[in-house]
């Protein structure tokens, strides 16, 4: 009974983390849309909003890593930072910039439908970079996702070319970031969780965003009528950081697969909520059909990835068993060697009958050169 009570508490805690993750993930997107939209808070400066997030998250990550030591930093050298973190930060800042800019032109619901292209972009970039092989099963899944997104886009009433281009560009930048993270960091044995990622990447991303901000948004922000509510932006930045922290906690308790499943549920919830909170967003039957087709492809893609991971783990287990067998064989060989040493030592002191089977030649034995029995 006590064990069942502990298991139930653990499950409840896991479900609570998942609920917090889904709530924060949806809340941050809706909050960003509300802040940036000219129909609501009217702060049409996506680069500025992203820079606020980077500054706040980078500062808090510094406190968690260096001051409170909640997580440990990785062994970072200047060479690794310059060749790995800097390019990853460049694509990370670009994905946030273009993704947030899309909120100015297209609805949250349509943005979520376009985000179904993420596995397609990641797969194509990975194949191009040589980290993935072009497989027929994955390829046809990507085709299914793409067809679904095309159908969904065709059914979009308020289709905006510029907003779509911004969102797709952000997706490509994020795909490049993911693949670069795998190529540059993971192959060097370096892994970053959401907290250490912000610790290393957020400051560098802030610097990258400063250049387009200075050229594109700073002149417009000099308007004396522009409103800047500290508590709005503070709470928005807190939500964005809390989302990263919840991702860290959920992955720690469940795994990346659960995050993907929760992400699918979150997308449907977000599409529904966005149409309620932002009445100007209209969803058509073609939107739903197209997105459902795309999600089928995404779910199948996730299944293939999970299957590949399990196959890889099984292979690793078999390799481990092989290594264990080799270790045992080596132990046997070592034992044989020790036996052979003892055998030769004993032969040098003993005369054997020439007729005795399974014995070495007595002629050589008499010379003190022993042989192990056959």
């Amino acid at each position: 009974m006590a064990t069942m009570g502990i298991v139930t508490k653990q499950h409840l805690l896991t479900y609570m983390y998942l609920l917090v993750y889904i709530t924060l993930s949806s809340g941050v997107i809706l909050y960003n849309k509300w802040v940036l939209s000219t129909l609501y808070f009217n702060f049409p400066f996506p680069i500025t909003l992203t820079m606020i997030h980077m500054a706040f998250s980078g500062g808090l990550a510094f406190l968690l890593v260096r001051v409170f030591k909640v997580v440990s930093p990785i062994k970072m050298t200047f060479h690794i930072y310059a060749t790995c973190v800097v390019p990853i930060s460049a694509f990370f800042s670009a994905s946030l910039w273009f993704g947030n800019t899309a909120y100015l032109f297209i609805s949250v619901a349509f943005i979520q439908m376009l985000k179904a292209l993420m596995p397609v972009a990641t797969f194509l970039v990975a194949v191009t970079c040589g980290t993935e092989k072009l497989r027929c099963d994955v390829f046809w899944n990507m085709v299914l996702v793409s067809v679904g997104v095309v159908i969904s886009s065709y059914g979009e009433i308020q289709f905006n070319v510029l907003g779509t281009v911004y969102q797709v560009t952000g997706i490509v930048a994020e795909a490049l970031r993911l693949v670069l993270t795998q190529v540059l960091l993971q192959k060097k044995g370096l892994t970053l969780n959401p907290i250490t990622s912000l610790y290393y990447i957020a400051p560098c991303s802030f610097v990258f965003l400063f250049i387009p901000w200075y050229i594109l948004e700073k002149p417009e922000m000099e308007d004396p009528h522009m409103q800047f509510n500290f508590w709005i932006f503070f709470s928005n930045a807190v939500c964005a950081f809390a989302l990263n922290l919840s991702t860290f906690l959920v992955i720690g308790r469940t795994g990346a697969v659960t995050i993907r499943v929760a992400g699918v549920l979150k997308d449907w919830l977000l599409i529904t909520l966005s149409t309620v909170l932002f009445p100007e967003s209209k969803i058509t039957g073609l939107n739903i059909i197209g997105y459902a087709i795309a999600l089928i492809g995404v779910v199948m893609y996730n299944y293939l990835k999970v299957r590949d991971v399990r196959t890889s783990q099984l292979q690793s287990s078999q390799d481990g068993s092989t290594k264990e067998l080799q270790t045992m064989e080596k132990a046997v060989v070592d034992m044989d060697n020790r036996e052979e040493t003892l055998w030769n030592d004993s032969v040098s002191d003993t005369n054997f009958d020439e007729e005795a089977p399974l014995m070495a030649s007595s002629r050589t034995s008499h010379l003190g050169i022993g042989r192990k029995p056959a």
Side-chain angles (χ1 to χ4, degrees):
M1 291 295 293
T3 305
M4 289 181 63
I6 293 173
V7 171
T8 302
K9 288 181 180 179
Q10 294 295 327
H11 286 168
L12 287 175
L13 193 58
T14 301
Y15 292 143
M16 186 188 73
Y17 283 156
L18 284 170
L19 181 62
V20 170
Y21 164 74
I22 292 173
T23 301
L24 285 172
S25 182
S26 304
V28 167
I29 291 172
L30 295 172
Y31 204 167
N32 287 347
K33 173 66 175 180
W34 182 81
V35 170
L36 294 170
S37 176
T38 55
L39 298 176
Y40 298 96
F41 186 71
N42 192 23
F43 186 81
F45 303 106
I47 304 177
T48 305
L49 184 65
T50 307
M51 289 177 69
I52 292 172
H53 289 174
M54 291 299 98
F56 184 84
S57 297
L60 274 185
F62 177 84
L63 292 176
L64 291 175
V65 173
R66 291 298 181 183
V67 179
F68 300 107
K69 301 185 184 302
V70 175
V71 293
S72 301
I74 65 173
K75 187 177 180 181
M76 182 66 68
T77 64
F78 177 79
H79 176 74
I80 293 176
Y81 194 88
T83 58
C84 300
V85 175
V86 170
I88 289 171
S89 300
F91 287 111
F92 181 58
S93 57
S95 68
L96 293 176
W97 169 18
F98 293 123
N100 283 336
T101 303
Y103 289 118
L104 299 175
F105 304 96
I106 54 181
S107 67
V108 171
F110 187 50
I111 285 175
Q112 294 308 120
M113 294 174 189
L114 288 175
K115 283 183 179 179
L117 287 172
M118 190 70 233
V120 179
T122 305
F123 176 70
L124 292 177
V125 171
V127 170
T128 303
C129 294
T131 60
E132 287 269 4
K133 293 182 179 180
L134 187 60
R135 294 163 39 187
C136 286
D137 52 357
V138 177
F139 175 76
W140 287 115
N141 275 333
M142 299 301 99
V143 171
L144 184 63
V145 172
S146 302
V147 168
V149 172
V150 169
I151 293 173
S152 182
S153 301
Y154 184 77
E156 177 65 15
I157 296 175
Q158 299 172 336
F159 183 82
N160 183 284
V161 175
L162 186 58
T164 303
V165 169
Y166 271 122
Q167 183 58 47
V168 172
T169 305
I171 289 171
V172 173
E174 176 66 7
L176 286 166
R177 181 192 73 84
L178 292 173
V179 174
L180 278 179
T181 300
Q182 181 183 4
V183 172
L184 299 180
L185 287 180
Q186 293 177 5
K187 286 193 175 180
K188 294 184 178 181
L190 302 174
T191 56
L192 297 176
N193 60 50
I195 306 301
T196 51
S197 293
L198 290 173
Y199 173 71
Y200 291 109
I201 293 175
C204 190
S205 298
F206 182 91
V207 173
F208 275 113
L209 289 167
F210 181 82
I211 300 172
W213 172 81
Y214 190 85
I215 297 172
L216 300 174
E217 294 188 359
K218 181 180 177 296
E220 296 184 22
M221 294 183 67
E222 294 174 352
D223 186 351
H225 299 291
M226 189 199 72
Q227 60 174 336
F228 189 92
N229 187 313
F230 171 80
W231 293 109
I232 291 291
F233 292 102
F234 176 76
S235 60
N236 184 263
V238 167
C239 290
F241 182 80
L243 172 59
N244 284 281
L245 188 60
S246 69
T247 305
F248 174 64
L249 293 174
V250 170
I251 290 178
R253 291 194 67 86
T254 57
V257 176
T258 306
I259 283 285
R260 288 178 175 178
V261 175
V264 173
L265 296 175
K266 181 261 298 180
D267 289 341
W268 282 109
L269 177 65
L270 193 53
I271 289 173
T272 305
L273 283 176
S274 65
T275 57
V276 175
L277 298 176
F278 305 111
E280 70 278 4
S281 300
K282 304 294 183 182
I283 296 181
T284 64
L286 211 52
N287 283 143
I288 298 298
I289 293 173
Y291 187 56
I293 293 173
L295 271 189
I296 291 173
V298 171
V299 170
M300 291 175 65
Y301 172 76
N302 287 338
Y303 166 76
L304 290 174
K305 296 299 288 185
V306 171
R307 189 187 66 181
D308 291 345
V309 169
R310 288 178 178 172
T311 303
S312 177
Q313 290 174 344
L314 182 61
Q315 183 65 38
S316 299
S317 177
Q318 291 175 346
D319 291 342
S321 300
T322 303
K323 289 180 180 178
E324 185 178 352
L325 181 60
Q326 290 174 346
T327 304
M328 292 175 64
E329 288 176 349
K330 185 177 183 299
V332 171
V333 170
D334 291 341
M335 187 177 295
D336 286 347
N337 290 335
R338 286 194 295 272
E339 288 177 353
E340 186 170 358
T341 302
L342 293 172
W343 172 258
N344 289 337
D345 290 342
S346 64
V347 166
S348 63
D349 297 327
T350 308
N351 292 327
F352 286 92
D353 189 347
E354 288 185 329
E355 303 299 326
L358 302 178
M359 292 294 177
S361 171
S362 57
R363 293 183 177 85
T364 58
S365 297
H366 293 160
L367 297 173
I369 304 173
R371 287 184 182 274
K372 193 178 174 183

